[in-house]
Amino acid sequence: MGLALLQAAGSYVQIFCTSRIGYEIAYGLRRELFTHLQSLSLSFFNRGRSGEVLTKLTADTTALSELFRDSMVELMTHPLVLAGMFALMFALNWQLGLIVLATLVPLYFALFHLFRHIKVSVRTQRAQEGKIASRISEALASVALVQAFGRGEYEAELFDAESARTRDESVRAARMEAAAARTIEIISAVGKWAVVLVGSVQVLNGRMTPGDVLIFWGYVGKMYKPMRTLSRLSTKFSRATVSGERISEILEIEPGIKDAPDAIEARNLRGEIVFEHVSFDYGDGVHVLKDASFTVRPGQRVALVGASGAGKSTIVCLLLRLFDPQDGSIRVDGLDIRRYVCESLRREIGVVPQDSILLGATVKENIAYGKRDAHMGEIVAAAEAANAHEFISRLERGYDTVIGERGATLSGGQRQRIAIARALIRNAPLLILDEPMTGIDAESEQKIREALRRLMAGKTCIFITHDLEMPAEADLVLVLDEGRVVEQGTHRELLKRHGHYRQRAESRAGDQAAREFSARLA
């Protein structure tokens, strides 16, 4: 009874400790991996697939956790048990001990062969799981498009093809594992046969007793049991090894944007921005920005105008330091932005993106995302200034209403006004607006323009736009063409010149007149 109680207590402590270690490993790996992902540049995410990253964050960390939680004690104790058994067998009869030891040589090669091939199979399997996760993510994110084009069956066929490849690799790994198990059974049978044969001969010759042979028979039988367990664990160990390598692939990627050792905190910026001979490409050698130079004074409103691909969004990305330019420098308040701590610089910039990205959380949490310690009064004030309070109050639970992922339950104008409220509550001295009027209906447009005027008051503002109304209100208009700043000046100054801006304005005005004429005919 005492031994049983002691064994129960030891088993409880073992399960608790190994489980705690396994879960702590999974928690630590996921935390470190997610934190590291946040520090990587946008180019990493542009090249990779979200499903692959998601698989590494979940399935691969779980595989490592399971190895420590379920198998680490066996991996540590079974070699000790084998060593003890061999010591006893050699003490009883070294000749029979050598025979048993000889059977371990083919066993070792069988396990090594299994580990090497299963590792290749598991790596392929993990890659396929990443593709499946990416396929699911893309299909769910584009479900409206899939249904609108009636491509549900096509997406199902693609998913089935990816799933079939994963199934085939899993079956292949299981087949190799089964083959290894049968190999161990055959080798253990050969070992037992050799022990009985040689032991019987020695008994007949009087060098051993039948009891010694029985003892050897028992040890050999017990010795192959941990060998079978180690064979089973080799599959799990190969999976964990592949998972560890896949996680290391991400952790070994150096962040593209790093703070200098002597970087300083950006606080209370005035908002002066200077681009000086800035050139940039996305790593393919094709410059999307070429020798761009301009100056924005504190409090100025600057419009970036140009065709798609002219480099407008690149200027915004460089100012936010999502990328660093290959040539030239960008200064804010007289200091190169690489001298600032990156996170502190971004905290001094408010952003209203073109897509109005919202979280699948409450309206209150979405607005407060710009200022995590904001109280309810600040949230309501920001919503009122953004002309959003009225429609928020009409929602089922007001500011506590949970909106769909990416704001799917709101209209485009409502999402844009919440994004403006999020930028308002931040009250940053620098402001970036990326085509804030895109896709907005006429009813919402006026409310959004009023909210933007309140938002831009007293701030250095850079906005990307394709219409003519916002540049007319700007203090400076920068015209970009094929990555170069070809013109700069006020709206009126640029209209007096016969350049790109005037041509663009005349083209837009002609389109507007044609639409009005068509409306009158209708």
Side-chain angles (χ1 to χ4, degrees):
M1 285 297 296
L3 287 173
L5 290 172
L6 184 63
Q7 183 182 13
S11 178
Y12 169 80
V13 172
Q14 171 194 320
I15 293 172
F16 173 77
C17 290
T18 53
S19 298
R20 177 65 184 267
I21 291 171
Y23 290 128
E24 288 288 345
I25 287 172
Y27 165 75
L29 277 174
R30 284 175 184 158
R31 186 166 182 260
E32 183 177 355
L33 189 57
F34 186 79
T35 302
H36 184 70
L37 284 169
Q38 298 299 309
S39 69
L40 298 180
S41 66
L42 284 182
S43 58
F44 168 80
F45 298 98
N46 293 337
R47 291 193 307 267
R49 303 186 72 181
S50 59
E52 182 72 15
V53 176
L54 186 62
T55 303
K56 291 178 181 179
L57 264 171
T58 54
D60 287 329
T61 54
T62 300
L64 286 171
S65 171
E66 288 177 348
L67 177 69
F68 281 87
R69 188 176 69 241
D70 303 332
S71 310
M72 188 48 63
V73 172
E74 292 176 321
L75 284 171
M76 294 172 63
T77 56
H78 283 339
L80 295 176
V81 171
L82 287 172
M85 286 182 176
F86 269 111
L88 288 171
M89 284 190 288
F90 271 92
L92 286 171
N93 190 299
W94 65 270
Q95 293 99 334
L96 286 179
L98 284 176
I99 291 173
V100 175
L101 183 63
T103 63
L104 294 185
V105 176
L107 193 60
Y108 167 79
F109 283 106
L111 290 178
F112 180 76
H113 176 81
L114 168 72
F115 176 78
R116 187 178 61 182
H117 283 77
I118 285 186
K119 186 177 176 182
V120 174
S121 180
V122 168
R123 177 172 287 279
T124 306
Q125 186 179 343
R126 282 283 188 260
Q128 285 299 131
E129 288 173 358
K131 291 179 180 179
I132 289 176
S134 295
R135 174 61 57 189
I136 293 172
S137 177
E138 290 173 3
L140 294 180
S142 310
V143 65
L145 178 68
V146 173
Q147 292 181 356
F149 279 81
R151 302 290 279 175
E153 186 176 345
Y154 170 74
E155 289 294 334
E157 290 174 358
L158 291 178
F159 180 79
D160 181 71
E162 297 289 358
S163 297
R165 294 189 189 98
T166 305
R167 177 204 61 199
D168 294 342
E169 283 298 331
S170 299
V171 171
R172 180 169 175 263
R175 188 175 67 247
M176 287 188 289
E177 187 177 356
R182 300 292 74 78
T183 301
I184 292 174
E185 292 291 342
I186 294 171
I187 293 174
S188 65
V190 171
K192 290 178 181 179
W193 170 78
V195 166
V196 171
L197 179 64
V198 177
S200 299
V201 171
Q202 293 197 2
V203 168
L204 293 174
N205 292 333
R207 289 195 294 270
M208 287 186 71
T209 66
D212 291 336
V213 177
L214 287 175
I215 291 173
F216 247 90
W217 172 271
Y219 275 130
V220 171
K222 289 182 179 295
M223 183 196 73
Y224 285 114
K225 183 179 179 181
M227 292 301 297
R228 285 192 291 271
T229 304
L230 288 174
S231 169
R232 175 176 54 82
L233 292 180
S234 67
T235 303
K236 187 174 288 189
F237 187 73
S238 63
R239 294 180 186 276
T241 302
V242 170
S243 295
E245 291 173 356
R246 282 163 52 85
I247 292 171
S248 296
E249 288 172 2
I250 291 183
L251 293 177
E252 289 172 358
I253 298 174
E254 291 292 331
I257 305 298
K258 290 184 179 180
D259 291 328
D262 58 345
I264 63 174
E265 290 284 328
R267 292 192 180 94
N268 303 319
L269 298 179
R270 293 182 299 111
E272 182 188 50
I273 302 170
V274 178
F275 273 60
E276 192 171 279
H277 303 294
V278 174
S279 296
F280 176 76
D281 68 73
Y282 287 99
D284 53 4
V286 179
H287 280 80
V288 292
L289 207 61
K290 306 170 187 174
D291 197 32
S293 298
F294 59 87
T295 299
V296 181
R297 295 193 301 273
Q300 269 193 326
R301 290 175 295 178
V302 179
L304 300 181
V305 178
S308 297
K312 305 184 298 297
S313 296
T314 301
I315 287 177
V316 168
C317 290
L318 293 176
L319 181 59
L320 286 167
R321 218 186 158 206
L322 301 178
F323 304 98
D324 279 335
Q326 280 83 19
D327 298 303
S329 65
I330 304 170
R331 297 195 301 274
V332 173
D333 284 5
L335 193 65
D336 193 303
I337 60 173
R338 286 170 285 202
R339 293 290 311 283
Y340 290 117
V341 175
C342 192
E343 287 297 320
S344 69
L345 173 67
R346 291 170 183 169
R347 284 195 296 268
E348 294 291 299
I349 303 174
V351 181
V352 179
Q354 179 181 355
D355 294 335
S356 301
I357 300 170
L358 300 182
L359 307 174
T362 64
V363 173
K364 176 175 61 179
E365 290 170 327
N366 271 281
I367 295 175
Y369 197 79
K371 185 183 180 183
R372 301 307 294 168
D373 58 347
H375 54 75
M376 196 61 200
E378 291 178 294
I379 293 171
V380 174
E384 289 175 342
N387 287 334
H389 178 72
E390 182 181 348
F391 85 79
I392 293 173
S393 301
R394 291 197 301 266
L395 296 176
E396 183 180 357
R397 299 185 62 190
Y399 285 86
D400 291 318
T401 302
V402 177
I403 60 178
E405 190 174 352
R406 299 182 69 86
T409 56
L410 301 177
S411 69
Q414 290 172 336
R415 289 197 299 269
Q416 194 72 320
R417 278 178 273 173
I418 289 180
I420 292 171
R422 184 172 58 196
L424 272 164
I425 203 169
R426 188 161 198 159
N427 196 28
L430 284 81
L431 182 64
I432 293 173
L433 307 174
D434 189 357
E435 300 192 39
M437 308 307 297
T438 300
I440 303 301
D441 58 88
E443 183 180 351
S444 302
E445 185 173 333
Q446 188 58 37
K447 293 181 179 180
I448 291 176
R449 288 193 187 278
E450 291 173 4
L452 289 174
R453 291 188 184 100
R454 296 191 192 103
L455 178 61
M456 290 187 291
K459 298 179 177 66
T460 301
C461 179
I462 295 179
F463 53 86
I464 299 172
T465 182
H466 283 98
D467 65 19
L468 294 176
E469 188 170 340
M470 291 189 73
E473 299 177 4
D475 301 306
L476 177 65
V477 179
L478 299 176
V479 184
L480 286 93
D481 183 51
E482 295 184 353
R484 297 184 183 274
V485 179
V486 293
E487 290 180 315
Q488 54 181 301
T490 65
H491 173 71
R492 291 182 177 276
E493 290 171 350
L494 294 177
L495 285 179
K496 293 176 181 178
R497 306 174 192 171
H498 295 279
H500 289 76
Y501 186 75
R502 178 164 175 168
Q503 292 174 9
R504 187 174 184 81
E506 289 174 347
S507 174
R508 298 283 292 184
D511 293 341
Q512 180 67 26
R515 284 194 295 269
E516 292 176 356
F517 181 70
S518 298
R520 286 197 298 271
L521 288 177

